[in-house]
Amino acid sequence: MNRILSLLICVFLVTSCGNKREGEQKTGLLSNFISITDNEDAGVKEILEFYGGQCKYAIGVSASTKDGKKKYFELEMSKSGILEDNANRIEMPASNIAYLFYRNLKEEKENYDEIHSIIVFEDGTKKTFEYSTETLELVDERMSLVNHTVDLLTKKDYESLKLLLNTELFEFDKNEFLTNIKKFEPQLGKIKEFRPFGFRIREAKNGINLLHVSGALIRKIQNNEFSVDMDLNSGKQELYLLQYKL
């Protein structure tokens, strides 16, 4: 975006992953400039619980000749070992930071056009990612299919899972795929929950906006990486790809 103006509230709230996050209290100097709702606060807390480190947040308005004014909520993460370890694929955790914050919002969703994730690394380099709330809402809606898939895996309902698989974009043998899943399930143990790592969107053939959601299945014995690919703009209950990584 070619910005000609950037107005940023220059009061940041610094929080860390200690036992008590005093910076999150809505008292003192901060309350004179910026306040956040309980839902926004919950989003910040979830991000810190996930990634550790420190988080500065701010609310700003940007303007460009092309897009007009846009209000955004900015989350700047630093001093996180997890983010440092994922520096070579930082797009995924950056998207997850925006999503974790957004999914905690309710009526506040109407207040913002974008959620910004900023990652500051130990060497001082900084990377900024911007996500429209329109896109985040679509991702949140499609997460219901991700959760449904996890539920079928938990119940070992492989026949229903097979009906979700669409081999239009990626050719594979459904029966062989499900046989391999059944083979490894006993050594992994019961699924407790799905933990998202992030998402990315790319255009596939036939004009499909392919949403890739990556995460981990938290299990009783051994956790495993898990990802699915689906049509971002479709309400259909179908997956173009489902992947396990042990």
Side-chain angles (χ1 to χ4, degrees):
M1 180 188 300
N2 181 22
R3 290 203 177 115
I4 61 173
L5 175 66
S6 180
L7 302 175
L8 183 63
I9 297 174
C10 296
V11 178
F12 296 98
L13 178 64
V14 182
T15 54
S16 64
C17 54
N19 293 329
K20 185 178 181 181
R21 302 190 181 102
E22 296 182 358
E24 290 194 61
Q25 296 178 358
K26 300 178 180 68
T27 59
L29 180 63
L30 181 66
S31 62
N32 296 325
F33 294 90
I34 177 177
S35 62
I36 62 173
T37 67
D38 290 341
N39 294 326
E40 291 166 340
D41 186 54
V44 173
K45 281 186 170 71
E46 184 173 10
I47 292 166
L48 285 169
E49 288 169 0
F50 200 107
Y51 293 103
Q54 292 186 341
C55 178
K56 295 179 182 179
Y57 64 74
I59 296 171
V61 178
S62 63
S64 74
T65 54
K66 178 181 178 182
D67 301 309
K69 290 183 178 180
K70 289 188 176 182
K71 188 175 181 181
Y72 60 86
F73 195 104
E74 179 178 280
L75 300 142
E76 181 181 296
M77 294 295 298
S78 61
K79 300 182 180 180
S80 166
I82 295 176
L83 295 177
E84 292 289 340
D85 292 342
N86 287 275
N88 292 331
R89 51 176 183 174
I90 200 63
E91 177 186 356
M92 293 302 283
S95 68
N96 202 41
I97 288 167
Y99 175 70
L100 291 178
F101 177 78
Y102 182 79
R103 76 175 183 180
N104 279 276
L105 305 183
K106 293 180 181 176
E107 63 273 7
E108 300 91 347
K109 292 178 179 180
E110 302 298 322
N111 297 338
Y112 306 109
D113 300 297
E114 296 176 339
I115 307 298
H116 295 182
S117 299
I118 300 177
I119 315 299
V120 181
F121 297 100
E122 289 180 355
D123 62 4
T125 59
K126 181 185 294 189
K127 292 188 177 181
T128 301
F129 301 84
E130 301 175 359
Y131 303 92
S132 71
T133 51
E134 181 181 1
T135 295
L136 290 169
E137 181 62 25
L138 288 173
V139 171
D140 194 44
E141 290 173 359
R142 297 304 276 158
M143 280 293 179
S144 63
L145 178 54
V146 180
N147 294 330
H148 178 56
T149 303
V150 173
D151 185 55
L152 293 179
L153 287 168
T154 303
K155 295 176 180 177
K156 303 186 187 300
D157 187 353
Y158 301 116
E159 288 305 311
S160 294
L161 182 61
K162 183 178 179 180
L163 295 176
L164 295 182
L165 301 176
N166 183 328
T167 58
E168 176 185 344
L169 296 180
F170 307 99
E171 293 185 7
F172 60 92
D173 187 306
K174 294 183 184 182
N175 292 321
E176 181 181 356
F177 171 74
L178 292 173
T179 297
N180 287 332
I181 286 183
K182 294 176 187 178
K183 177 181 177 181
F184 287 107
E185 281 298 301
Q187 71 184 58
L188 298 174
K190 184 179 179 179
I191 297 173
K192 296 180 178 179
E193 65 173 300
F194 169 70
R195 190 167 297 169
F197 286 168
F199 68 88
R200 64 172 178 265
I201 301 167
R202 66 182 179 88
E203 187 173 337
K205 66 181 182 179
N206 300 331
I208 294 173
N209 284 326
L210 196 65
L211 170 64
H212 174 83
V213 175
S214 177
L217 295 177
I218 308 303
R219 295 175 175 268
K220 189 173 182 179
I221 300 174
Q222 178 185 333
N223 302 336
N224 70 284
E225 289 188 37
F226 165 85
S227 66
V228 293
D229 291 71
M230 69 200 86
D231 188 340
L232 174 66
N233 300 303
S234 171
K236 292 183 179 180
Q237 295 287 91
E238 60 182 18
L239 301 172
Y240 291 112
L241 201 61
L242 190 160
Q243 299 183 80
Y244 266 40
K245 185 176 180 181
L246 305 181

mmCIF file of all heavy atoms in Angstrom, residues 7-35:
data_model
loop_
_atom_site.group_PDB
_atom_site.id
_atom_site.type_symbol
_atom_site.label_atom_id
_atom_site.label_comp_id
_atom_site.label_asym_id
_atom_site.label_seq_id
_atom_site.Cartn_x
_atom_site.Cartn_y
_atom_site.Cartn_z
ATOM 1 N N LEU A 7 -1.205 7.665 10.817
ATOM 2 C CA LEU A 7 -1.449 8.239 12.134
ATOM 3 C C LEU A 7 -1.479 7.105 13.141
ATOM 4 O O LEU A 7 -2.300 6.203 13.038
ATOM 5 C CB LEU A 7 -2.802 8.975 12.159
ATOM 6 C CG LEU A 7 -2.950 10.104 11.133
ATOM 7 C CD1 LEU A 7 -4.366 10.649 11.181
ATOM 8 C CD2 LEU A 7 -1.958 11.217 11.413
ATOM 9 N N LEU A 8 -0.578 7.127 14.071
ATOM 10 C CA LEU A 8 -0.460 6.042 15.028
ATOM 11 C C LEU A 8 -0.482 6.599 16.431
ATOM 12 O O LEU A 8 0.219 7.561 16.737
ATOM 13 C CB LEU A 8 0.856 5.283 14.806
ATOM 14 C CG LEU A 8 1.104 4.057 15.686
ATOM 15 C CD1 LEU A 8 0.044 3.003 15.397
ATOM 16 C CD2 LEU A 8 2.494 3.496 15.411
ATOM 17 N N ILE A 9 -1.309 6.056 17.267
ATOM 18 C CA ILE A 9 -1.321 6.456 18.663
ATOM 19 C C ILE A 9 -0.016 5.995 19.288
ATOM 20 O O ILE A 9 0.264 4.798 19.363
ATOM 21 C CB ILE A 9 -2.515 5.819 19.393
ATOM 22 C CG1 ILE A 9 -3.809 6.322 18.780
ATOM 23 C CG2 ILE A 9 -2.461 6.137 20.879
ATOM 24 C CD1 ILE A 9 -5.038 5.656 19.328
ATOM 25 N N CYS A 10 0.790 6.943 19.702
ATOM 26 C CA CYS A 10 2.160 6.637 20.101
ATOM 27 C C CYS A 10 2.273 6.281 21.577
ATOM 28 O O CYS A 10 3.218 6.676 22.259
ATOM 29 C CB CYS A 10 3.077 7.808 19.773
ATOM 30 S SG CYS A 10 3.190 8.104 18.003
ATOM 31 N N VAL A 11 1.304 5.584 22.054
ATOM 32 C CA VAL A 11 1.388 5.046 23.402
ATOM 33 C C VAL A 11 1.214 3.548 23.277
ATOM 34 O O VAL A 11 0.199 3.079 22.811
ATOM 35 C CB VAL A 11 0.286 5.624 24.310
ATOM 36 C CG1 VAL A 11 0.369 4.997 25.694
ATOM 37 C CG2 VAL A 11 0.456 7.130 24.421
ATOM 38 N N PHE A 12 2.228 2.817 23.653
ATOM 39 C CA PHE A 12 2.210 1.372 23.509
ATOM 40 C C PHE A 12 2.072 0.713 24.870
ATOM 41 O O PHE A 12 2.613 1.206 25.865
ATOM 42 C CB PHE A 12 3.512 0.868 22.871
ATOM 43 C CG PHE A 12 3.720 1.364 21.472
ATOM 44 C CD1 PHE A 12 4.525 2.464 21.220
ATOM 45 C CD2 PHE A 12 3.107 0.739 20.406
ATOM 46 C CE1 PHE A 12 4.719 2.924 19.948
ATOM 47 C CE2 PHE A 12 3.298 1.196 19.114
ATOM 48 C CZ PHE A 12 4.101 2.287 18.894
ATOM 49 N N LEU A 13 1.393 -0.400 24.875
ATOM 50 C CA LEU A 13 1.286 -1.178 26.087
ATOM 51 C C LEU A 13 2.232 -2.357 25.962
ATOM 52 O O LEU A 13 2.109 -3.148 25.043
ATOM 53 C CB LEU A 13 -0.144 -1.682 26.282
ATOM 54 C CG LEU A 13 -0.371 -2.559 27.506
ATOM 55 C CD1 LEU A 13 -0.103 -1.744 28.768
ATOM 56 C CD2 LEU A 13 -1.784 -3.074 27.527
ATOM 57 N N VAL A 14 3.187 -2.476 26.863
ATOM 58 C CA VAL A 14 4.156 -3.559 26.819
ATOM 59 C C VAL A 14 3.719 -4.625 27.796
ATOM 60 O O VAL A 14 3.485 -4.351 28.967
ATOM 61 C CB VAL A 14 5.557 -3.056 27.200
ATOM 62 C CG1 VAL A 14 6.574 -4.181 27.092
ATOM 63 C CG2 VAL A 14 5.954 -1.889 26.303
ATOM 64 N N THR A 15 3.588 -5.838 27.295
ATOM 65 C CA THR A 15 3.224 -6.939 28.160
ATOM 66 C C THR A 15 4.237 -8.043 28.010
ATOM 67 O O THR A 15 4.922 -8.158 27.002
ATOM 68 C CB THR A 15 1.832 -7.495 27.796
ATOM 69 O OG1 THR A 15 1.816 -7.828 26.417
ATOM 70 C CG2 THR A 15 0.754 -6.469 28.071
ATOM 71 N N SER A 16 4.379 -8.846 29.001
ATOM 72 C CA SER A 16 5.327 -9.955 28.947
ATOM 73 C C SER A 16 4.666 -11.187 29.526
ATOM 74 O O SER A 16 3.570 -11.127 30.074
ATOM 75 C CB SER A 16 6.597 -9.620 29.742
ATOM 76 O OG SER A 16 6.281 -9.456 31.104
ATOM 77 N N CYS A 17 5.372 -12.315 29.432
ATOM 78 C CA CYS A 17 4.749 -13.569 29.832
ATOM 79 C C CYS A 17 5.076 -13.903 31.278
ATOM 80 O O CYS A 17 5.307 -15.056 31.615
ATOM 81 C CB CYS A 17 5.175 -14.704 28.898
ATOM 82 S SG CYS A 17 6.955 -14.887 28.723
ATOM 83 N N GLY A 18 5.104 -12.941 32.153
ATOM 84 C CA GLY A 18 5.337 -13.187 33.562
ATOM 85 C C GLY A 18 4.056 -13.618 34.247
ATOM 86 O O GLY A 18 3.004 -13.755 33.640
ATOM 87 N N ASN A 19 4.131 -13.824 35.556
ATOM 88 C CA ASN A 19 2.960 -14.255 36.300
ATOM 89 C C ASN A 19 1.893 -13.172 36.344
ATOM 90 O O ASN A 19 0.715 -13.450 36.358
ATOM 91 C CB ASN A 19 3.358 -14.639 37.724
ATOM 92 C CG ASN A 19 4.230 -15.882 37.744
ATOM 93 O OD1 ASN A 19 4.083 -16.741 36.894
ATOM 94 N ND2 ASN A 19 5.138 -15.972 38.693
ATOM 95 N N LYS A 20 2.319 -11.918 36.373
ATOM 96 C CA LYS A 20 1.372 -10.806 36.422
ATOM 97 C C LYS A 20 1.741 -9.786 35.373
ATOM 98 O O LYS A 20 2.857 -9.286 35.354
ATOM 99 C CB LYS A 20 1.396 -10.161 37.804
ATOM 100 C CG LYS A 20 0.347 -9.059 37.968
ATOM 101 C CD LYS A 20 0.402 -8.502 39.372
ATOM 102 C CE LYS A 20 -0.659 -7.414 39.568
ATOM 103 N NZ LYS A 20 -0.608 -6.838 40.928
ATOM 104 N N ARG A 21 0.814 -9.481 34.481
ATOM 105 C CA ARG A 21 1.092 -8.541 33.408
ATOM 106 C C ARG A 21 0.576 -7.171 33.808
ATOM 107 O O ARG A 21 -0.532 -6.783 33.480
ATOM 108 C CB ARG A 21 0.441 -9.015 32.105
ATOM 109 C CG ARG A 21 0.915 -10.409 31.695
ATOM 110 C CD ARG A 21 0.439 -10.753 30.296
ATOM 111 N NE ARG A 21 0.885 -12.077 29.945
ATOM 112 C CZ ARG A 21 0.101 -13.155 29.964
ATOM 113 N NH1 ARG A 21 -1.142 -13.047 30.323
ATOM 114 N NH2 ARG A 21 0.580 -14.326 29.620
ATOM 115 N N GLU A 22 1.395 -6.439 34.567
ATOM 116 C CA GLU A 22 0.952 -5.142 35.057
ATOM 117 C C GLU A 22 0.620 -4.189 33.918
ATOM 118 O O GLU A 22 -0.240 -3.337 34.041
ATOM 119 C CB GLU A 22 2.029 -4.530 35.953
ATOM 120 C CG GLU A 22 2.263 -5.352 37.222
ATOM 121 C CD GLU A 22 3.293 -4.717 38.116
ATOM 122 O OE1 GLU A 22 3.840 -3.669 37.725
ATOM 123 O OE2 GLU A 22 3.562 -5.272 39.189
ATOM 124 N N GLY A 23 1.331 -4.332 32.793
ATOM 125 C CA GLY A 23 1.102 -3.441 31.665
ATOM 126 C C GLY A 23 -0.279 -3.556 31.074
ATOM 127 O O GLY A 23 -0.720 -2.681 30.337
ATOM 128 N N GLU A 24 -0.995 -4.622 31.410
ATOM 129 C CA GLU A 24 -2.325 -4.815 30.857
ATOM 130 C C GLU A 24 -3.399 -4.139 31.687
ATOM 131 O O GLU A 24 -4.560 -4.131 31.314
ATOM 132 C CB GLU A 24 -2.614 -6.304 30.713
ATOM 133 C CG GLU A 24 -1.791 -6.955 29.626
ATOM 134 C CD GLU A 24 -2.326 -8.316 29.262
ATOM 135 O OE1 GLU A 24 -3.489 -8.398 28.816
ATOM 136 O OE2 GLU A 24 -1.609 -9.305 29.436
ATOM 137 N N GLN A 25 -3.043 -3.600 32.795
ATOM 138 C CA GLN A 25 -4.025 -2.906 33.610
ATOM 139 C C GLN A 25 -4.454 -1.606 32.933
ATOM 140 O O GLN A 25 -3.638 -0.856 32.441
ATOM 141 C CB GLN A 25 -3.440 -2.593 34.993
ATOM 142 C CG GLN A 25 -3.115 -3.843 35.799
ATOM 143 C CD GLN A 25 -2.492 -3.494 37.129
ATOM 144 O OE1 GLN A 25 -2.264 -2.321 37.425
ATOM 145 N NE2 GLN A 25 -2.212 -4.508 37.920
ATOM 146 N N LYS A 26 -5.740 -1.355 32.942
ATOM 147 C CA LYS A 26 -6.261 -0.141 32.302
ATOM 148 C C LYS A 26 -6.268 1.001 33.315
ATOM 149 O O LYS A 26 -7.309 1.528 33.690
ATOM 150 C CB LYS A 26 -7.646 -0.404 31.739
ATOM 151 C CG LYS A 26 -7.656 -1.509 30.692
ATOM 152 C CD LYS A 26 -9.061 -1.757 30.205
ATOM 153 C CE LYS A 26 -9.078 -2.849 29.171
ATOM 154 N NZ LYS A 26 -8.739 -4.144 29.748
ATOM 155 N N THR A 27 -5.093 1.316 33.811
ATOM 156 C CA THR A 27 -4.971 2.384 34.790
ATOM 157 C C THR A 27 -3.786 3.256 34.424
ATOM 158 O O THR A 27 -2.995 2.922 33.552
ATOM 159 C CB THR A 27 -4.750 1.826 36.208
ATOM 160 O OG1 THR A 27 -3.554 1.026 36.223
ATOM 161 C CG2 THR A 27 -5.919 0.984 36.666
ATOM 162 N N GLY A 28 -3.647 4.369 35.128
ATOM 163 C CA GLY A 28 -2.480 5.215 34.931
ATOM 164 C C GLY A 28 -2.509 5.969 33.620
ATOM 165 O O GLY A 28 -3.564 6.260 33.057
ATOM 166 N N LEU A 29 -1.327 6.282 33.104
ATOM 167 C CA LEU A 29 -1.173 7.123 31.928
ATOM 168 C C LEU A 29 -1.880 6.549 30.713
ATOM 169 O O LEU A 29 -2.469 7.272 29.916
ATOM 170 C CB LEU A 29 0.324 7.297 31.620
ATOM 171 C CG LEU A 29 0.682 8.166 30.408
ATOM 172 C CD1 LEU A 29 0.200 9.589 30.637
ATOM 173 C CD2 LEU A 29 2.177 8.128 30.170
ATOM 174 N N LEU A 30 -1.848 5.230 30.582
ATOM 175 C CA LEU A 30 -2.416 4.600 29.396
ATOM 176 C C LEU A 30 -3.894 4.937 29.225
ATOM 177 O O LEU A 30 -4.358 5.194 28.116
ATOM 178 C CB LEU A 30 -2.241 3.088 29.460
ATOM 179 C CG LEU A 30 -2.765 2.304 28.252
ATOM 180 C CD1 LEU A 30 -1.973 2.632 27.008
ATOM 181 C CD2 LEU A 30 -2.733 0.826 28.529
ATOM 182 N N SER A 31 -4.629 4.948 30.327
ATOM 183 C CA SER A 31 -6.072 5.149 30.231
ATOM 184 C C SER A 31 -6.429 6.529 29.705
ATOM 185 O O SER A 31 -7.548 6.766 29.267
ATOM 186 C CB SER A 31 -6.719 4.937 31.607
ATOM 187 O OG SER A 31 -6.226 5.891 32.532
ATOM 188 N N ASN A 32 -5.479 7.452 29.739
ATOM 189 C CA ASN A 32 -5.736 8.789 29.224
ATOM 190 C C ASN A 32 -5.652 8.845 27.705
ATOM 191 O O ASN A 32 -6.064 9.823 27.090
ATOM 192 C CB ASN A 32 -4.732 9.789 29.815
ATOM 193 C CG ASN A 32 -4.893 9.922 31.323
ATOM 194 O OD1 ASN A 32 -6.005 9.854 31.832
ATOM 195 N ND2 ASN A 32 -3.791 10.089 32.024
ATOM 196 N N PHE A 33 -5.075 7.809 27.101
ATOM 197 C CA PHE A 33 -4.841 7.836 25.659
ATOM 198 C C PHE A 33 -5.569 6.717 24.924
ATOM 199 O O PHE A 33 -6.153 6.932 23.878
ATOM 200 C CB PHE A 33 -3.336 7.709 25.368
ATOM 201 C CG PHE A 33 -2.536 8.884 25.855
ATOM 202 C CD1 PHE A 33 -2.001 8.898 27.127
ATOM 203 C CD2 PHE A 33 -2.317 9.972 25.032
ATOM 204 C CE1 PHE A 33 -1.252 9.970 27.573
ATOM 205 C CE2 PHE A 33 -1.583 11.050 25.467
ATOM 206 C CZ PHE A 33 -1.048 11.051 26.753
ATOM 207 N N ILE A 34 -5.502 5.519 25.457
ATOM 208 C CA ILE A 34 -6.046 4.368 24.746
ATOM 209 C C ILE A 34 -6.578 3.355 25.745
ATOM 210 O O ILE A 34 -5.985 3.138 26.795
ATOM 211 C CB ILE A 34 -4.966 3.712 23.850
ATOM 212 C CG1 ILE A 34 -5.510 2.462 23.147
ATOM 213 C CG2 ILE A 34 -3.730 3.372 24.629
ATOM 214 C CD1 ILE A 34 -4.514 1.826 22.201
ATOM 215 N N SER A 35 -7.690 2.772 25.438
ATOM 216 C CA SER A 35 -8.218 1.686 26.260
ATOM 217 C C SER A 35 -8.665 0.585 25.320
ATOM 218 O O SER A 35 -9.037 0.839 24.180
ATOM 219 C CB SER A 35 -9.390 2.166 27.119
ATOM 220 O OG SER A 35 -10.454 2.603 26.298
#
